[in-house]
Amino acid sequence: MKLMIDLDGTMYHGTKIIESAYEFMKEAQRRNIDVLFLTNNATRTQIQAAEHMLKMGYENIQPEQFYTSAMASADEVKRLSDKRRAYMIGELGLKEALIQNGFELVDHDADFVFVGLDRNATYRDYSLAFRQLHQGAVLVGTNSDTVLLSEEGVNVGNGSI
């Protein structure tokens, strides 16, 4: 048996563990039930996602238990096309997923523009992305959520971009 479990709002809220989820995980681990965590958060690598949960108090969590929307986006485009030139707006999770799937990260003549949440993106970054799209690159969004909930309140989500 393998369980697929969402993360934010299911296992934790931001940086706060959900106690019933913690107990559930302890029981799943006790029974040796495989768990795959699915997330539409494209910012984190598998290692970062595991560290995030471990820091909150979860135990025996391994990086290979995570599958992110960045990984899914890169996997799907790789499956559908043999083109591998990509411009990206995103954080380390997206960059790692693209590189692991053989994409060459470029600032011009891209085949695809991958857009994930990037809390440090600039006007220049979005302008370069727009230029690539205007020249025929295909837009690939890693997450369509228009809002991102945080401890401070509602923030702009990747889908708004």
Side-chain angles (χ1 to χ4, degrees):
M1 173 188 290
K2 184 172 220 156
L3 300 175
M4 293 187 289
I5 302 174
D6 182 42
L7 287 176
D8 199 12
T10 303
M11 302 304 291
Y12 53 77
H13 288 290
T15 59
K16 292 185 170 70
I17 198 168
I18 296 174
E19 193 58 39
S20 58
Y22 175 80
E23 295 301 325
F24 176 82
M25 280 304 301
K26 283 183 74 163
E27 184 62 21
Q29 289 170 347
R30 187 186 70 74
R31 294 182 186 205
N32 293 316
I33 297 173
D34 288 334
V35 174
L36 177 65
F37 296 109
L38 303 174
T39 179
N40 62 2
N41 182 337
T43 63
R44 293 187 182 114
T45 66
Q46 290 175 297
I47 291 171
Q48 290 170 328
E51 288 172 349
H52 181 67
M53 288 187 70
L54 291 168
K55 188 184 291 184
M56 280 184 275
Y58 283 100
E59 300 167 5
N60 303 312
I61 302 294
Q62 304 301 317
E64 58 272 8
Q65 289 180 272
F66 294 85
Y67 190 71
T68 70
S69 61
M71 296 166 69
S73 298
D75 287 346
E76 185 67 2
V77 172
K78 180 180 178 180
R79 185 181 72 78
L80 294 173
S81 174
D82 59 350
K83 296 179 180 177
R84 295 289 179 272
R85 292 177 56 83
Y87 178 80
M88 65 158 269
I89 294 177
E91 296 183 17
L92 189 55
L94 180 56
K95 182 177 183 179
E96 183 177 280
L98 291 171
I99 290 169
Q100 287 180 349
N101 276 281
F103 286 90
E104 175 189 1
L105 301 180
V106 299
D107 286 338
H108 56 84
D109 299 321
D111 302 308
F112 301 97
V113 172
F114 286 82
V115 179
L117 184 65
D118 188 334
R119 292 166 285 208
N120 297 304
T122 66
Y123 178 80
R124 180 181 183 278
D125 297 326
Y126 290 106
S127 293
L128 286 173
F130 182 75
R131 287 181 201 138
Q132 303 308 307
L133 296 169
H134 187 70
Q135 293 169 356
V138 175
L139 177 64
V140 180
T142 62
N143 172 344
S144 62
D145 287 351
T146 55
V147 297
L148 176 64
L149 302 177
S150 73
E151 289 83 9
E152 295 86 30
V154 178
N155 295 318
V156 173
N158 190 60
S160 297
I161 307 295

